Amino acid sequence: MSQIDNNRKSFVKLIWVLSIAIPVVVAVLLFAPEKIEGAGDWVYILPHLNATFNSITAIVLLLGLYFIKRKNIVAHKSMMSIAFTLGSLFLVSYVIYHSTADSTIYGDINGNSILDEAEKTEDIMFMRGLYVSILLPHIVLAAVVVPFVLFAFYYALTDKIEKHKKVVKWTFPIWLFVSITGVIVYFMISPYYLN
């Protein structure tokens, strides 16, 4: 087996390991009964930063599509590199936040991390249902898109453009959906952040 084949197999294995490890780590952090202590109040800026990352990612993805449709490969590559970088920064920020701060509960007006009976008004419960109906597909597709994004970048970097084109037919709409719904979810839950 040639060195190139060994490298290709190593990258494919790495992509699959990351595609499984990232959602597992995120799930563990979300549902961990204990949070890492001592991070300080600065972590409460991270949800706002993550919404910014998602907003810019959505714009950059659309610009990437615009440039590739006009055969401007250099600009397309630049946009996709920015999107990949923003996605990576988002992931680091998300992991830091969820490993150090309690999750915010939609409708928790008094900030006691419990949805009290008094907070379960008809309006809150309707909006909470709407919030969850956006949040759940956002979470599922955020996990699903990881291998698609990694393979899309791998194929582009290794100049396997036909494979790249095939995978981005799925990657682009899923990634764009995840970015946009991430911003929507942020705006819906942001009134309940304590800091």
Side-chain angles (χ1 to χ4, degrees), residues 104-122:
T104 301
I105 297 173
Y106 190 93
D108 182 19
I109 297 166
N110 63 12
N112 67 351
S113 298
I114 299 169
L115 196 59
D116 299 320
E117 286 304 315
E119 294 168 325
K120 293 181 180 178
T121 66
E122 190 174 315

Side-chain angles (χ1 to χ4, degrees), residues 3-59:
Q3 183 63 32
I4 293 172
D5 287 337
N6 283 335
N7 287 345
R8 183 187 62 77
K9 285 187 176 187
S10 295
F11 279 113
V12 169
K13 283 181 188 175
L14 178 62
I15 288 170
W16 284 115
V17 167
L18 289 173
S19 298
I20 293 166
I22 289 170
V24 167
V25 167
V26 169
V28 167
L29 292 172
L30 281 174
F31 299 110
E34 299 291 323
K35 299 296 179 177
I36 297 170
E37 300 283 328
D41 287 343
W42 69 271
V43 296
Y44 293 101
I45 193 77
L46 295 179
H48 313 295
L49 184 63
N50 288 341
T52 303
F53 288 151
N54 273 328
S55 299
I56 297 170
T57 298
I59 292 166

Side-chain angles (χ1 to χ4, degrees), residues 12 23 55 93 132 153 165:
V12 169
S55 299
S93 174
V132 170
F153 275 89
K165 287 179 182 179

